[in-house]
């Protein structure tokens, strides 16, 4: 490996320790040109001009080739390449003094610390052995040589600046005097010498340097000294130090705000941040984002305090908040020991100095409330060992390589714990009202902190009173203010930075009646520029973009407190009416594609006009069940904002889905909302009838029967015969459950329905059930046979499966077990192919009873288990209890009677409360068998007596169920 020198006489060392003497002038010139352009192509014309400045010979090409050949012979390992662009001499950075010089200068510029910077500059200057290419005059290189000499002088002056800043003035005086002698017009050198002399106590000599410089400039150039020299001169006259000395940096440095004592929750997030920031790999960056009030800054401070042991050199805390990045960097440099006058003017230089200060240190940098990825980039350390934690209202999507942690609301448990810490033990005592406060605060830490502080300030303020105030959406944001904390102002900071189109979109979304919006609704609502506005709102954490739903439609959600703020502004024009019309039409079309299992008639109405393109509608409703699942919460909420008639119509469509899947709580809340907002009696009667239906499904038979009767009277009075028929049929079923079969039979036989009407099957089911309870088994089977024939004529699998269920049961009671088994098997198979899970659960339960009665024990228990699970999912408590009772009976036969007893007693309590006479009697019967098995004769006798007291000798259904249940209690 050869080493070359051009910063002084041309020198070649090859091999190490052996200096090569190049005799020919043109060989030396050729090498000098190539070295000054090391690793760059030099055109042949440049080389020819350098070698023969006056007139090249005709054989210059062969001569050039000869010179290169001789250089290769003399210098071991010389790497000269020849190509279309010319010749290139390849050297490594440490093989040429010029490259070593420039590399050391670059390291000094990055260092930031004055002492370290000076060391790099001195290493660079040490490469110079004299004038560039001393002893070799090549006119073609004169400009290059002059440029290098200027570069050397500038580096020397930079070096002197750093050493003056570090307080090293004593050893500089002689060196500066020699340089000023060589460059008498160099103002910067004169100013540096003045500073060194002044610090050495030689004020007079310092002023003399200024006088001589001024005289020379005026005499030779006719100009006065520049501003910097005049500033130094004035400082010397005042006896002040023109450049304050830089104190050595003090490590470690900690700027973190104090950690709050009542910090609550976020354990998962803290562990995630610790794993990312403490990895020790590269310079990890974590960005905490989230809506206003989510507690980003508080979490960042807690995480930084936890991570202090991993960053022993310090923790910097930088509140950005829209501040100019140059100002931020200046503050950081001063905090790291750089005096004001030594802080560079250029922002890029400040950033480089900041990186230099952190070089090879282990420092955590916390950047709070960043608004721009570019600002964050300017504050990133340059060496491994450091880490950066950023909080921002923006997502900072342009910040590449960052680990992003979106911060959502607290969990319910975390929110309750925070409120308890702030307001005391009464939060636990008044748990229900505390839950209302937590819900109104949307589980956001800022809102909860305000609410908790208000409770702490006023110990006598009841939680219920504060909850009432917060549940009023009109005044909620007014209530969430205490001292200098306010949810409204926190949201306003994000809102004020939006563009006008995004502000309009923000207002429209806040006023929209839907909360979890599909993408089509957002586009329809906002109109033009929707994509850009939505992206800006998502970036600002004012709108949450969510994963596509089951229909493939993207979703957007505005959190409650943000939505309330958005709705406060003046109304703006948008597509809200179009969104509402489209939603109603979609609900109507989706309901038409699902089986209507709710035992109430569909409401008549004019056809809905659909404003959306048909292709979009088809995509959304390809699986109507999934569309309802995605929009369920929106539709329930929408019902509360519509007029009573319009709300009832929408609820009629939604109930098709809700009843099908057992979402009775949503149905109940929605119908209660309609009932509370209407004075129209027909509308109220329909709402009441549906509420009675839900009580019936939950086993509240007495309440349901009373409500059915009142609704039936009102509907008949208003001439609504069809709804009256449905309600009356439901009443009959309820009466059968209460053991009042005669009354049930009278109720259904008073109805006049057509076989082709959907309610006809419901009426016949009730009639058959009543007849069976009265012991009129043959009559019941004829009713079921006729119902089955009518159902088969419709070719509807659900109606056929339902009718087969009734026929199977009456067949069993007439002694035709084979027919019963065939019919119930077909019923289950048909209903499995439909979405009618309630009807399937009912048929599975009957399959269990028929199988038990006919000796198929394993098949019976499997059917009962599946029916119980379905009923539990659908919240159909009576059916779940009856299946649980059957399974407990099978445990007795398996020798687990002791395990069955508490289960049976629990079933007994619920059946008693429901008022189901037959169900209660059957449960007493099974309980008596369990008590017999465990040897508790007294309890067995008591249970058997209670069962006998409730038995109805006419009830054929109960008789067969007794037989089936007792069969299960026998040893397996």
């Amino acid at each position: 490996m050869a080493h070359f020198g051009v910063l002084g006489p041309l020198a070649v060392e090859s091999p190490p320790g052996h200096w090569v003497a190049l005799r020919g002038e043109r060989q030396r010139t050729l090498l000098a040109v190539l070295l000054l352009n090391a690793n760059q192509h030099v055109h042949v014309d440049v080389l020819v001009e350098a070698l023969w400045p006056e007139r090249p010979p005709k054989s210059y090409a062969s001569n050039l080739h000869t010179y290169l050949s001789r250089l290769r012979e003399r210098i071991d390992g010389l790497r000269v390449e020849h190509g279309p662009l010319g010749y290139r001499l390849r050297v490594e950075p440490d093989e040429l003094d010029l490259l070593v010089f420039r590399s050391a200068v670059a390291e000094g510029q990055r260092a930031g610390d004055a002492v370290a910077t000076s060391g790099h500059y001195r290493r660079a200057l040490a490469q110079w052995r004299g004038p560039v290419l001393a002893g070799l005059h090549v006119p073609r290189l004169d400009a290059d040589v002059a440029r290098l000499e200027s570069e050397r002088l500038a580096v020397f002056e930079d070096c002197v600046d750093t050493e003056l800043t570090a307080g090293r003035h004593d050893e500089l005086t002689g060196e500066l005097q020699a340089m000023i002698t060589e460059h008498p017009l160099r103002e910067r050198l004169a100013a540096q010498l003045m500073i060194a002399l002044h610090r050495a106590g030689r004020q007079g000599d310092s002023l003399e340097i200024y006088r001589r410089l001024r005289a020379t400039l005026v005499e030779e150039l006719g100009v006065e000294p520049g501003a910097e020299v005049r500033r130094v001169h004035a400082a010397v006259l005042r006896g002040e130090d023109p450049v304050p000395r830089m104190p050595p940096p003090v490590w470690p440095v900690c700027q973190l705000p104090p950690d709050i004592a009542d910090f609550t929750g976020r354990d998962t997030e803290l562990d995630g941040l610790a794993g990312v920031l403490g990895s020790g790999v590269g310079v990890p960056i974590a960005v905490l984002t989230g809506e206003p009030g989510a507690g980003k800054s508080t979490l960042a401070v807690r995480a930084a305090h936890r991570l202090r042991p991993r960053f022993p050199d310090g923790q910097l805390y930088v509140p950005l908040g829209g501040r100019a990045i140059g100002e931020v960097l200046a503050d950081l440099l001063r905090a790291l020991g750089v005096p004001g006058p030594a802080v560079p003017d250029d922002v890029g230089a400040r950033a480089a100095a900041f990186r230099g200060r952190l070089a090879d240190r282990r420092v955590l940098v916390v950047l709070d409330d960043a608004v721009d990825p570019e600002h964050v980039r300017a504050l990133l350390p340059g060496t491994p060992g450091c880490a950066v934690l950023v909080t921002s209202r923006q997502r900072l999507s342009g910040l590449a390589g960052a680990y992003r942690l979106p911060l959502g609301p607290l969990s319910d448990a975390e929110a309750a714990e925070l409120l308890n810490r702030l307001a005391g033990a009464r939060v636990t005592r008044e748990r229900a009202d505390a839950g209302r406060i937590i819900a109104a605060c949307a589980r956001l830490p800022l809102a909860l902190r305000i609410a908790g502080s208000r409770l702490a300030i006023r110990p006598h303020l009841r939680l219920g009173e504060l909850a009432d105030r917060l549940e009023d959406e009109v005044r909620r944001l007014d209530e969430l203010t205490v001292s200098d904390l306010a949810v409204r102002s926190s949201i306003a900071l994000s809102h004020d930075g939006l563009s006008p189109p995004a502000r309009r979109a923000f207002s429209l979304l806040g006023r929209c009646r839907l909360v979890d919006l599909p993408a089509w609704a957002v586009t329809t609502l906002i109109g033009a520029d929707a994509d850009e506005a939505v992206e800006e709102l998502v970036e600002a954490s004012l709108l949450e973009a969510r994963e596509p739903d089951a229909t493939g439609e993207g979703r957007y959600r505005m959190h409650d407190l943000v939505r309330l703020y958005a709705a406060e502004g003046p109304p703006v024009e948008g597509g809200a009416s179009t969104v509402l019309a489209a939603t109603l039409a979609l609900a109507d079309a989706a309901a038409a594609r699902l089986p209507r299992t709710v035992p109430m008639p569909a409401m008549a109405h004019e056809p809905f006009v659909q404003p959306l393109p048909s292709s979009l509608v088809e995509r959304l409703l390809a699986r109507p069940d999934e569309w309802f699942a995605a929009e369920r919460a929106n539709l329930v909420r929408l019902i509360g904002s519509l007029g009573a008639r319009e709300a009832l119509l929408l609820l009629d469509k939604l109930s098709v889905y809700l009843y099908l899947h057992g979402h009775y709580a949503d149905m109940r809340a929605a119908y209660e909302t309609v009932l509370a907002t209407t004075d129209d009696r027909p509308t109220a009667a329909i709402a009441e009838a549906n509420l009675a239906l839900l009580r019936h499904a939950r086993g509240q038979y007495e309440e349901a029967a009373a409500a059915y009767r009142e609704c039936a009277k009102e509907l008949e009075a208003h001439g609504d015969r069809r709804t009256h028929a449905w309600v009356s049929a439901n009443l009959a079923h309820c009466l059968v459950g209460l053991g009042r079969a005669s009354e049930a039979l009278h109720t259904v036989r008073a109805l006049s329905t057509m076989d082709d009407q959907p309610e006809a099957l419901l009426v016949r089911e009730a009639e058959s059930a009543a007849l069976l309870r009265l012991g009129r088994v043959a009559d019941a089977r004829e009713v079921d046979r006729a119902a089955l024939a009518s159902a088969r004529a419709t070719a509807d699998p659900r109606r056929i499966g339902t009718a087969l269920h009734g026929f199977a049961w009456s067949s069993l009671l007439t002694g035709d077990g084979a027919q019963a088994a065939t019919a119930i098997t077909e019923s289950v198979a048909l209903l499995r192919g439909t979405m009618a899970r309630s009807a399937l659960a009912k048929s599975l339960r009957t399959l269990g009873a028929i199988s038990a009665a006919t000796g198929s024990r394993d098949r019976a228990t499997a059917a009962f288990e599946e029916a119980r699970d379905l009923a539990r999912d659908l919240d159909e408590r009576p059916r779940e209890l009856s299946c649980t009772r059957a399974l407990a009976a099978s445990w007795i036969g398996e020798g687990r009677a002791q395990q069955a007893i508490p289960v049976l007693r629990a079933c007994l309590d619920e059946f008693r409360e429901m008022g189901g006479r037959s169900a209660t009697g059957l449960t007493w019967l099974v309980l008596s068998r369990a008590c017999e098995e465990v040897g508790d004769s007294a309890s067995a006798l008591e249970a058997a007596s209670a069962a006998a007291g409730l038995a109805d000798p006419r009830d054929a259904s109960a008789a067969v169920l007794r037989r089936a249940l007792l069969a299960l209690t026998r040893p397996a």
Side-chain angles (χ1 to χ4, degrees):
M1 178 188 293
H3 287 82
F4 303 94
V6 294
L7 303 181
L10 180 65
V12 181
E13 185 183 11
S14 176
H18 175 72
W19 296 94
V20 178
L22 299 176
R23 298 184 184 86
E25 185 76 10
R26 289 194 171 94
Q27 284 186 44
R28 297 169 65 214
T29 298
L30 175 60
L31 181 60
V33 175
L34 292 173
L35 286 172
L36 285 188
N37 296 276
N39 297 320
Q40 300 177 41
H41 287 93
V42 183
H43 198 273
V44 172
D45 291 345
V46 174
L47 295 174
V48 170
E49 183 183 350
L51 292 169
W52 296 283
E54 295 180 358
R55 186 175 181 181
K58 293 181 180 179
S59 59
Y60 71 83
S62 61
N63 290 349
L64 179 59
H65 180 72
T66 299
Y67 297 148
L68 283 171
S69 298
R70 290 175 181 174
L71 284 175
R72 288 190 178 99
E73 291 172 2
R74 299 299 309 276
I75 303 172
D76 186 31
L78 185 71
R79 300 185 296 276
V80 180
E81 301 170 350
H82 183 211
L85 299 177
Y87 290 88
R88 179 173 66 172
L89 173 58
R90 291 181 57 197
V91 294
E92 298 299 323
D94 60 343
E95 293 177 347
L96 175 62
D97 56 4
L98 175 58
L99 297 182
V100 174
F101 166 76
R102 287 175 170 163
S103 174
V105 171
E107 289 182 36
Q109 291 171 340
R110 290 193 298 267
D113 178 82
V115 176
T117 300
S118 169
H120 291 301
Y121 285 163
R122 284 295 176 184
R123 182 163 62 89
L125 293 169
Q127 301 300 313
W128 291 74
R129 295 168 287 107
V132 177
L133 297 175
L136 179 65
H137 181 242
V138 183
R140 182 65 178 77
L141 298 179
D142 286 347
D144 295 320
V145 170
R147 187 181 68 255
L148 285 173
E149 291 293 348
S150 296
E151 193 174 333
R152 174 195 182 188
L153 184 56
V155 172
F156 174 76
E157 291 171 337
D158 288 345
C159 181
V160 171
D161 275 346
T162 62
E163 292 178 344
L164 287 173
T165 300
R168 298 176 178 175
H169 52 273
D170 292 332
E171 58 264 39
L172 288 174
T173 306
E175 192 174 11
L176 283 167
Q177 285 176 328
M179 292 295 286
I180 200 73
T181 300
E182 292 183 33
H183 306 280
L185 299 179
R186 192 81 173 184
E187 294 187 32
R188 187 179 178 191
L189 285 173
Q192 291 171 334
L193 179 56
M194 291 170 65
I195 294 167
L197 290 170
H198 176 59
R199 285 187 179 173
R202 298 166 60 183
Q203 186 178 19
D205 290 343
S206 177
L207 295 173
E208 176 61 20
I209 294 296
Y210 179 79
R211 188 194 64 76
R212 288 208 305 263
L213 172 68
R214 181 178 183 276
T216 303
L217 288 171
V218 170
E219 180 180 342
E220 295 191 15
L221 303 178
V223 297
E224 291 286 338
E228 179 60 20
V229 181
R230 295 199 306 273
R231 184 189 69 77
V232 173
H233 179 245
V236 173
L237 287 173
R238 293 192 301 270
E240 298 174 355
D241 189 346
V243 180
R245 303 178 197 186
M246 178 182 295
V250 179
W251 301 100
V253 56
C254 181
Q255 297 181 328
L256 296 177
D259 193 8
I260 61 173
D262 53 18
F263 183 92
T264 304
R266 305 298 196 192
D267 292 334
T268 301
E269 291 85 351
L270 285 167
D271 291 343
L273 290 174
V276 171
L277 298 174
S279 66
V281 179
V283 181
I285 306 167
V287 180
L288 278 174
T289 64
E291 64 181 305
K296 300 179 289 294
S297 299
T298 307
L299 176 59
V301 171
R302 167 56 62 99
H305 276 285
R306 278 199 180 183
L307 288 165
R308 283 191 65 194
R310 302 195 192 184
F311 298 95
D313 290 322
Q315 304 83 40
L316 300 176
Y317 182 81
V318 188
L320 292 172
R323 296 168 61 204
I325 198 63
E327 175 190 338
V328 171
L329 282 164
D331 287 348
L332 281 170
L333 289 173
R334 285 190 286 267
L336 295 175
V338 180
V343 173
D345 293 331
D346 179 67
V347 173
R350 289 181 182 181
F354 173 66
R355 289 192 295 273
R357 280 267 151 170
L358 298 186
D360 301 321
R361 297 280 181 183
R362 295 178 63 189
V363 175
L364 175 64
V365 181
V366 181
L367 306 177
D368 189 30
D369 200 14
V371 297
D372 191 323
E374 185 178 352
H375 288 180
V376 175
R377 294 189 199 103
L379 296 168
L380 297 180
T383 56
C386 292
V388 182
L389 175 55
V390 186
T391 75
S392 179
R393 297 165 186 270
Q394 307 285 328
R395 284 181 48 81
L396 302 183
S397 300
L399 193 61
Y403 166 78
R404 285 180 174 77
L405 179 60
L407 202 58
L410 297 172
S411 68
D412 287 328
E414 291 171 340
E417 182 183 352
L418 176 58
L419 196 61
N420 186 68
R421 288 188 176 189
L422 293 166
R426 57 185 170 144
V427 171
T428 303
R429 292 195 303 270
E430 302 175 50
R431 192 182 305 274
D433 289 327
R436 292 167 59 205
I437 292 173
I438 290 168
C441 291
R443 293 180 282 117
L444 287 178
L446 174 61
L448 288 166
R449 188 165 295 281
I450 292 171
S453 299
R454 292 191 62 187
L455 291 169
I457 292 169
R458 300 176 60 188
H460 302 295
L461 177 62
R462 292 183 302 103
L463 268 69
E465 184 180 347
L466 180 59
D468 289 341
R469 295 178 185 179
L470 292 175
E471 285 178 340
D472 181 355
E473 291 194 350
V474 174
R475 58 187 293 188
R476 186 180 301 172
L477 293 180
D478 294 327
E479 294 290 337
L480 289 175
T481 302
V482 64
S483 185
D484 62 340
L485 297 178
V487 170
R488 182 182 279 109
S489 58
S490 177
I491 301 172
L493 287 173
S494 297
H495 172 264
D496 292 347
L498 297 175
S499 66
R503 289 190 185 188
R504 173 180 173 274
F506 183 66
S507 179
L508 285 168
L509 291 168
R511 291 176 177 276
C512 184
R513 300 172 186 179
L514 309 181
V515 177
D516 184 16
L517 292 120
W520 71 260
V522 173
T523 303
T524 304
L525 185 69
I526 299 172
D529 303 322
D531 289 346
E532 293 80 359
V534 166
E535 286 180 8
E536 187 175 346
L537 291 175
V538 171
E539 186 70 18
S541 299
L542 292 173
L543 186 67
E544 180 187 0
R546 313 182 84 178
E547 293 295 323
D549 58 31
T551 70
E553 196 72 359
R555 311 290 299 190
Y556 295 92
R557 182 175 181 83
M558 186 175 282
H559 290 279
D560 286 349
L561 297 178
V562 175
R563 177 181 54 79
L564 292 178
Y565 180 90
E568 286 185 335
V572 294
E573 291 295 324
S577 60
T578 306
V579 171
L580 176 59
T583 301
L584 294 174
L586 285 169
D588 182 42
R593 300 184 185 198
L594 291 178
R596 187 177 181 89
T597 60
V598 55
M600 288 290 288
M603 291 180 63
H605 61 85
E606 294 295 323
F608 286 100
V609 177
Q610 177 56 267
L612 298 180
S614 58
S615 57
L616 174 59
V617 171
E618 283 304 311
R619 179 171 66 79
L620 293 174
L621 301 185
R623 293 179 295 276
D625 203 56
E626 293 180 350
W627 182 84
F628 268 124
E631 301 299 342
R632 170 182 158 194
N634 272 335
L635 297 175
V636 171
R637 180 183 179 87
L638 188 59
I639 285 163
S641 63
L642 299 174
R645 181 67 183 175
E646 196 175 30
L648 190 63
L649 185 58
L650 174 58
L651 184 49
D652 178 66
K653 307 304 177 187
L654 177 58
S655 291
V656 173
Y657 168 79
L658 295 177
Y659 195 85
L660 186 64
H661 292 279
H663 298 311
Y664 299 147
D666 279 354
M667 282 184 70
R668 182 179 299 107
Y671 277 112
E672 285 175 348
T673 298
V674 172
L675 197 60
T677 57
T678 183
D679 295 325
D680 181 62
R681 288 314 304 161
T683 299
I686 293 174
E688 286 281 16
N690 279 278
L691 288 170
L693 179 67
L694 299 176
R695 296 189 191 100
H696 187 175
R698 288 288 298 155
Q700 298 166 342
Y701 295 133
E702 289 288 2
E703 295 177 30
Y708 279 142
R709 279 199 183 88
E710 291 301 317
C711 292
K713 291 177 185 177
E714 191 137 12
L715 290 165
E716 190 173 27
H718 292 109
D720 189 349
R721 294 183 178 179
R722 188 160 182 238
T723 309
H724 172 267
W726 282 92
V727 172
S728 297
N730 288 330
L731 171 60
H733 278 281
C734 193
L735 291 171
V736 170
L738 286 167
R740 288 140 65 175
S742 295
E743 189 178 349
L745 186 60
H746 174 76
T747 300
V748 293
R749 287 193 166 171
L751 300 174
S752 57
T753 60
M754 302 295 290
D755 281 349
D756 61 346
Q757 296 299 318
E759 64 267 27
L761 182 58
L762 184 67
V763 170
R764 281 184 164 157
E765 280 183 313
E767 182 180 5
S768 174
L771 288 168
L772 291 174
R773 297 285 185 183
L774 293 170
R776 297 167 58 180
V777 178
D779 293 342
R781 194 179 192 197
E782 287 308 311
V783 170
D784 291 330
R785 193 190 305 277
L788 179 58
S790 296
R792 289 198 187 277
T794 68
D796 181 347
R798 183 179 63 84
R799 294 179 69 175
I800 297 170
T802 302
L804 278 166
H805 166 268
F807 181 69
W809 188 242
S810 59
S811 294
L812 179 68
L813 269 61
T814 56
D816 192 347
Q819 181 68 61
T822 301
I824 198 61
T825 301
E826 184 184 358
S827 172
V828 169
L830 284 171
L831 292 172
R832 283 195 192 281
T834 72
M835 301 177 70
R837 296 198 299 158
S838 179
L840 174 60
K842 187 176 180 180
S843 285
L844 282 166
R845 183 183 61 175
T846 298
L847 173 61
I850 292 174
S851 299
T854 55
S856 300
R857 181 189 187 88
D858 291 343
R859 190 182 188 197
T861 55
F864 279 128
E865 283 180 352
E866 186 178 357
R868 179 201 57 192
D869 294 344
L870 273 173
R872 181 179 295 156
D873 288 345
L874 295 169
D875 198 24
E876 293 180 344
R877 190 61 178 158
R879 187 166 297 140
E880 181 187 351
L881 287 172
S882 64
C883 293
T884 301
R885 178 184 60 201
L887 291 170
S890 72
W891 297 347
I892 299 171
E894 295 166 4
R896 295 189 288 157
Q898 194 68 56
Q899 184 180 346
I901 288 174
V903 174
L904 289 167
R905 290 197 180 278
C907 291
L908 186 62
D909 290 340
E910 289 198 56
F911 278 134
R912 279 169 162 175
E913 186 178 350
M914 291 175 184
R917 183 180 178 90
S918 176
T920 304
L922 288 169
T923 309
W924 274 120
L925 177 66
V926 179
L927 180 59
S928 72
R929 286 286 299 117
C931 292
E932 283 178 14
E933 286 297 316
V934 299
D936 187 353
S937 302
S939 296
L941 185 60
E942 178 190 359
S945 176
L950 292 171
D952 182 349
R954 300 174 301 170
D955 192 341
S957 288
V960 172
L961 280 174
R962 274 197 301 273
R963 192 172 82 222
L965 291 170
L966 290 174
L968 291 173
T969 66
R970 297 189 187 100

